[in-house]
Amino acid sequence: MTEAADAEISPREAEVLGLVGDHLSNAEIAARLCISIRTVESHVSSLLRKLEVPDRRALARRAPVRGAAPDRPAAVLPAPLTSFIGRARERSELAALLKEHRQVTAVGPGGVGKTRLALAVAADAAGAYPDGVWFADLVPVTDPGMIAAAVAGALGLGEQPGRDLAESVAAALADRDALVVLDNCEHVLDGVAPFLERLLATCPRLTVLATSRARLMVPFERVYPVPPLSLDAGGDSDAVALFMERAAAVGRPLDAALRGQIAAVCARLDGMALAIELAAARCPTLGLDGITAALSHPLRMLTGGSRADERHRSVRAALDWSHALLEPADRALLRRVSVFAAPFTVAAAAEVAGVEDGLAADGLARLAEQSLLVVAAAPDGTEYRALETIRQYAAERLAEAGEPDEVRSRHLRWCLARAAGLEVARPDWRARFDQVADDLRAALAWAAEQPERRADAFGLARRLAELAFTRNLTGESQRRFEQAAALAAGPAESAAMLRQAAAVAGCRAAGDDMYRLRLAAASAARDAGDLAGAAVDLATAATMAFRYWATFVRVPSREEALALLTDAQKAATGDGTPRAGDGPAALAAVALAEAAVVADAFGAVQGPADNVAVSETIARAERAVELAARTGDPLAESAALDALTCAHIWAGDTFAAAARSRRRVTLLSSLPPSPAVTHELIDALGMVTEATLGAGDMPDACRWARQLDGHPSLAEVGHRAPLMVDALAGNVEEVLAGSVRLLDAWRRAGSPARAHLGPAVAAVAMVHGLRDDHDAQLGWREILDRLDVSAERAHGYAAVFDGMLLLHRGQARDALERMAPEASEVWKWVSWIWHHWYVALRTEAVVLAGDPGARRHVTEARAAVAGNPVAEALVARAAAVLDGDRDALLATADAFDAAGCPYQSARTLLLAGGEHAGRGTAAFAALGLAPKAVSLW
């Protein structure tokens, strides 16, 4: 019986496990199974428990490989459409090299059979790589900068905030004992070489098998020249076996007596696999005599030419021969469809080739019959694709015919139409985008080099940037917006694109890029004579230095930000007299930057005692909100409200902070999606979730958390706020499911030391503690130690989670020691979410520990947490314990239920003891927690 069966895995969980083994993301699994991402998270969490593995990687290793023994590691390789013939010696030699060297390149001319040999060797070697075998085809890659994206796609990696895809790939493979096959590297050597060098340097257990027509010239490389198929005059050879097998596949089996004649044909084709397959495909119509005669065509041999021509002689001979047999119209069609980077339809071929649909259909069919095109069924109908060697050959013919500009211009128009026609409201738009994305990129690469096509190139770059953003390819989106800025007709248009690029960088949590691009936008705006726009850009950059400091690698200094603010003030108002730069948007942006400066200065204050500083901060922020509201721009108003929210936080007004956060979401929710809106909305949702949690409004906090958790931009990376909400409420299943995603995203990002994740990690550790899962708790605490060793952790969020766990275990004195300081002593670290929670839980610890000052603490706590339903109930429960009033204590259970806090309700029943303890124990079990014997009656 399999391990999965022993663990009683449900059929649906088995499906999820198989897709995890295929290294699909949660979003991809959800799409494949037509279920929600949250449901997938729940299944993954359940599988981790049932199979007793620590993380998603270990889970993937427990998944059965499709069509293989259950204990065999994953081998994500394309299924060959035809059988692999011969090459026993080459397979053995190449496999031996892979055992001894970390990077092997199978080198040879196009058509020699490099890909098939590499796939066969990789399949044979799969069992030697515990973390799997992966295949990435670089044929569709036209931009060397997109190599990391192709490899990431093969690995099933999503983009991580603050990291480019090359970093994500390196992080994902850093500790893997795996084999990666990179196929068809020759046309992007400039990108492959640095990518591989970086990958091999950071992934010590990784092995790479590459195929290329030229060596990669990277450290660690061992080159294996792939020879032609073996030839034997007597007919007993791999070449003859291949010819006979392929000829039989398209006609009928050949008589063994013909082996000698077949061997002669194969010899004239130099044993090249592709040439032999093409010749064999013609056998049913030409026969061996006809093939022999055709090989006497003068184009069979090349003379002179470049080194590349010499390297391609045998395949070129076969293609020249096959090409010579075509009708002129079919030759024209073949060379014109060579501009497609991805599979194409009849309609697409007709439009780009400049022929009628009917003629295109007939011509494509004839080309497919002669093995010059591959045919495949697709959702939108039949698609055609040229093998890369044939496509490159046809592209050369296109150049010889003097047609590249004409055909590529039609291809560009086709791409522009496809890009414009991609309606993101359609449920299948992502698949439709993926089908044309490589063609859009190829057309853009060509158009960007044609001065007369600059306007079209700009339009395509801009549209591709928008589509890539919606597709959650945020790294590419930022690059395309920057490309559009470089292609823009003037500085005003360039500034607009740079602002978009900055917004995408914000969504990627790439603060340095966001800052750089806003400064570039300011410069472009000045060049355009738009002083108001320049003022907005400069002020926004200054604000970023304070507002998004956690996303920077190099945080701009206070002096640098102040200098930008001064420049922004001058651009907006000059010496105070009216000028062209004056405008409500500029004045609002400057006011916001001024508020950020004041708030940053006040951030050093330990509490709200400095009334002058508090008043100044709030006044500045309210002025920023007032000016932003006059602009009629919800984004500007939301940013200003964020400053006001922070001012209320430092002032100790938890409820005002929550109200301002809710206002932000209301402003943004109805706006159409864009990079800027997405960036602001995610920030607003995070703030409102945490603000309502701090105010004890658990139903609203859970509602905002679900909205935040379900945002498409966070589908693969998650957010810290939902985990904190669910942990404090007692929603254990949601915490366990969300923690899988958080851990997976963090590891894919390279396990960075990001302190802002600390509260979420501490929340997960606490939940595992509440479950008595000490090993898991220890693992998450070790992660927390890597993330955050600050005073905020020691005296703020971690004190709350640690205190709650210690009280759960009946260790009241330890809890009081953990939260020893009064709230006023640690104000700076509890003023945001944690103030009311800290005060209430500390009060309970004081009472349960028998502290002589307990009654004073209860009285002070009642006043401090007034208006917070959860904190009020916690203090009321502590008072009931202090008074020995069991009825009053039980009344708090109803209060906790009404406040949306099932954990504290169950704890109340357990504290009440007697007949209520059984109900409390059952409630804990239903939540998935381990109850403790802490009854007081």
Side-chain angles (χ1 to χ4, degrees):
M1 181 178 292
T2 66
E3 189 173 31
D6 290 338
E8 296 184 354
I9 289 176
S10 70
R12 177 61 88 184
E13 288 173 341
E15 289 182 290
V16 172
L17 178 59
L19 295 174
V20 169
D22 289 343
H23 295 268
L24 269 65
S25 66
N26 284 350
E28 291 169 327
I29 294 173
R32 182 76 60 87
L33 299 180
C34 298
I35 57 179
S36 70
I37 293 175
R38 294 189 60 79
T39 301
V40 175
E41 291 171 352
S42 179
H43 287 315
V44 170
S45 176
S46 175
L47 286 165
L48 289 171
R49 295 197 305 276
K50 290 182 178 180
L51 295 181
E52 299 179 349
V53 293
D55 56 36
R56 190 184 185 96
R57 285 188 186 172
L59 190 62
R61 295 173 191 167
R62 303 288 275 274
V65 176
R66 317 293 178 152
D71 59 346
R72 187 175 180 184
V76 186
L77 299 171
L81 300 176
T82 56
S83 59
F84 185 78
I85 304 296
R87 289 205 183 271
R89 179 176 61 83
E90 292 91 334
R91 290 171 80 164
S92 176
E93 291 174 348
L94 189 52
L97 286 177
L98 284 177
K99 292 178 181 178
E100 300 173 5
H101 303 278
R102 295 186 55 218
Q103 200 273 302
V104 179
T105 305
V107 173
V112 77
K114 301 183 296 295
T115 298
R116 292 301 304 273
L117 176 61
L119 287 173
V121 170
D124 292 342
Y129 297 94
D131 292 320
V133 178
W134 308 87
F135 179 88
D137 185 5
L138 302 187
V139 166
V141 178
T142 56
D143 179 356
M146 295 299 295
I147 289 170
V151 178
L155 295 174
L157 296 178
E159 186 148 347
Q160 303 299 314
R163 285 187 175 269
D164 61 29
L165 280 173
E167 291 173 319
S168 297
V169 170
L173 296 173
D175 60 349
R176 288 198 177 190
D177 186 357
L179 172 65
V180 172
V181 180
L182 289 184
D183 195 33
N184 295 295
C185 298
E186 58 273 359
H187 62 299
V188 283
L189 287 178
D190 290 344
V192 171
F195 173 78
L196 266 189
E197 186 172 352
R198 177 181 182 183
L199 192 64
L200 291 168
T202 55
C203 306
R205 299 166 65 200
L206 181 69
T207 301
V208 175
L209 172 58
T211 74
S212 177
R213 298 179 189 180
R215 61 180 302 179
L216 307 183
M217 302 295 290
V218 294
F220 314 116
E221 183 183 29
R222 178 62 182 263
V223 176
Y224 178 75
V226 179
L229 290 169
S230 64
L231 297 166
D232 180 74
D236 186 15
S237 67
D238 290 345
V240 171
L242 176 63
F243 188 103
M244 295 186 71
E245 196 276 346
R246 298 297 190 260
V250 296
R252 63 178 184 274
L254 298 177
D255 191 333
L258 297 174
R259 281 180 174 272
Q261 190 176 351
I262 295 171
V265 170
C266 292
R268 295 187 66 179
L269 294 173
D270 295 327
M272 299 299 291
L274 176 59
I276 290 169
E277 291 194 345
L278 288 169
R282 299 294 295 170
C283 198
T285 55
L286 290 179
L288 285 175
D289 292 342
I291 290 174
T292 302
L295 287 176
S296 299
H297 193 283
L299 291 179
R300 159 68 175 81
M301 300 297 292
L302 296 179
T303 57
S306 67
R307 179 183 177 187
D309 285 332
E310 293 175 357
R311 191 170 69 242
H312 293 143
R313 285 179 64 184
S314 55
V315 171
R316 186 179 299 280
L319 291 173
D320 279 345
W321 157 72
S322 187
H323 185 265
L325 297 176
L326 297 176
E327 294 294 329
D330 291 345
R331 294 182 197 173
L333 183 60
L334 178 63
R335 65 178 180 258
R336 291 170 185 174
V337 298
S338 69
V339 299
F340 285 104
F344 52 88
T345 63
V346 169
E351 184 174 342
V352 171
V355 299
E356 296 178 2
D357 284 4
L359 294 177
D362 289 342
L364 293 175
R366 286 191 294 272
L367 293 172
E369 288 170 0
Q370 297 182 53
S371 299
L372 291 170
L373 293 179
V374 176
V375 188
D380 291 335
T382 303
E383 287 184 341
Y384 296 83
R385 175 177 62 90
L387 297 177
E388 180 59 14
T389 302
I390 298 173
R391 191 189 70 79
Q392 292 184 8
Y393 173 88
E396 292 177 4
R397 290 292 186 180
L398 185 69
E400 291 172 4
E403 297 178 338
D405 288 350
E406 176 188 349
V407 176
R408 289 196 174 277
S409 294
R410 287 198 293 262
H411 180 249
L412 174 61
R413 289 196 296 272
W414 180 83
C415 287
L416 287 166
R418 298 290 82 72
L422 283 169
E423 298 292 341
V424 297
R426 288 184 52 166
D428 65 339
W429 92 268
R430 288 176 177 81
R432 289 163 58 81
F433 170 77
D434 292 344
Q435 289 169 358
V436 300
D438 287 327
D439 274 302
L440 301 185
R441 293 163 183 147
L444 175 57
W446 175 79
E449 299 299 322
Q450 313 301 314
E452 70 278 9
R453 299 292 181 188
R454 187 183 185 94
D456 284 338
F458 168 77
L460 186 54
R462 176 177 177 174
R463 182 58 174 156
L464 186 52
E466 295 166 347
L467 291 168
F469 180 80
T470 310
R471 189 67 179 86
N472 291 327
L473 301 173
T474 51
E476 180 177 5
S477 177
Q478 179 184 323
R479 289 195 300 275
R480 298 304 180 192
F481 274 124
E482 292 190 58
Q483 185 177 16
L487 292 166
E493 204 171 50
S494 179
M497 293 297 97
L498 289 167
R499 290 168 191 139
Q500 291 278 58
V504 178
C507 295
R508 300 177 62 228
D512 302 80
D513 278 358
M514 182 169 47
Y515 184 74
R516 168 182 62 83
L517 290 163
R518 269 293 183 170
L519 293 181
S523 178
R526 282 187 186 276
D527 291 343
D530 180 11
L531 294 179
V536 171
D537 291 321
L538 291 167
T540 301
T543 303
M544 288 172 178
F546 301 110
R547 188 180 180 195
Y548 300 115
W549 64 270
T551 68
F552 281 81
V553 174
R554 185 198 73 83
V555 181
S557 67
R558 180 180 176 81
E559 292 71 24
E560 185 178 343
L562 287 172
L564 289 177
L565 175 57
T566 299
D567 288 345
Q569 290 168 333
K570 291 178 180 177
T573 60
D575 57 4
T577 60
R579 54 182 292 175
D582 289 341
L587 296 176
V590 168
L592 175 57
E594 292 169 345
V597 170
V598 173
D600 179 70
F602 183 44
V605 179
Q606 294 295 315
D610 188 344
N611 292 327
V612 174
V614 170
S615 299
E616 175 68 9
T617 303
I618 292 177
R620 290 277 189 175
E622 287 178 339
R623 173 64 175 164
V625 172
E626 177 188 350
L627 290 173
R630 294 180 188 175
T631 69
D633 181 3
L635 292 175
E637 189 172 353
S638 172
L641 282 167
D642 181 52
L644 184 56
T645 300
C646 293
H648 284 304
I649 289 167
W650 287 114
D653 193 340
T654 302
F655 304 108
R660 299 298 177 271
S661 295
R662 285 192 291 269
R663 172 63 181 156
R664 287 183 67 195
V665 178
T666 300
L667 278 171
L668 299 169
S669 293
S670 61
L671 297 180
S674 71
V677 170
T678 298
H679 184 211
E680 191 70 25
L681 180 59
I682 288 175
D683 182 75
L685 286 171
M687 289 287 282
V688 74
T689 303
E690 295 179 359
T692 50
L693 177 63
D697 187 350
M698 300 305 287
D700 257 9
C702 285
R703 177 168 64 87
W704 294 123
R706 300 295 170 260
Q707 187 173 341
L708 181 64
D709 219 23
H711 196 284
S713 294
L714 299 176
E716 293 304 319
V717 298
H719 194 281
R720 72 175 193 171
L723 284 168
M724 294 150 49
V725 172
D726 287 322
L728 290 172
N731 301 325
V732 176
E733 287 298 321
E734 284 78 1
V735 172
L736 296 178
S739 68
V740 172
R741 185 170 51 163
L742 176 72
L743 183 60
D744 187 48
W746 179 66
R747 284 177 170 165
R748 288 188 180 193
S751 306
R754 290 186 172 164
H756 74 278
L757 295 176
V761 172
V764 176
M766 180 196 74
V767 169
H768 283 296
L770 296 176
R771 290 167 50 80
D772 271 353
D773 189 342
H774 301 296
D775 289 342
Q777 180 192 7
L778 178 61
W780 282 92
R781 289 189 70 88
E782 288 174 352
I783 293 173
L784 183 59
D785 289 339
R786 295 174 61 181
L787 292 176
D788 191 10
V789 292
S790 67
E792 180 182 2
R793 170 190 170 182
H795 303 301
Y797 65 85
V800 169
F801 288 120
D802 290 347
M804 189 167 158
L805 178 58
L806 290 167
L807 288 170
H808 175 84
R809 292 174 172 171
Q811 300 169 255
R813 288 195 175 278
D814 291 336
L816 182 56
E817 183 177 346
R818 180 67 182 87
M819 296 187 288
E822 296 275 2
S824 59
E825 299 174 44
V826 291
W827 174 263
K828 182 175 182 178
W829 298 287
V830 299
S831 64
W832 176 215
I833 308 167
W834 312 109
H835 180 219
H836 291 169
W837 291 92
Y838 187 94
V839 169
L841 289 169
R842 187 177 185 280
T843 300
E844 181 172 318
V846 166
V847 170
L848 293 177
D851 187 283
R855 198 163 295 281
R856 175 182 61 83
H857 278 285
V858 168
T859 301
E860 292 175 353
R862 284 188 192 277
V865 304
N868 182 318
V870 177
E872 283 182 334
L874 284 169
V875 174
R877 186 172 68 190
V881 171
L882 185 63
D883 295 338
D885 188 340
R886 192 176 190 181
D887 290 337
L889 182 142
L890 286 169
T892 65
D894 294 332
F896 285 124
D897 283 332
C901 202
Y903 166 79
Q904 294 296 350
S905 176
R907 175 167 164 74
T908 298
L909 296 174
L910 210 62
L911 289 170
E915 62 185 20
H916 307 290
R919 290 169 52 210
T921 299
F924 271 126
L927 291 173
L929 301 175
K932 293 293 184 180
V934 292
S935 300
L936 300 179
W937 275 273

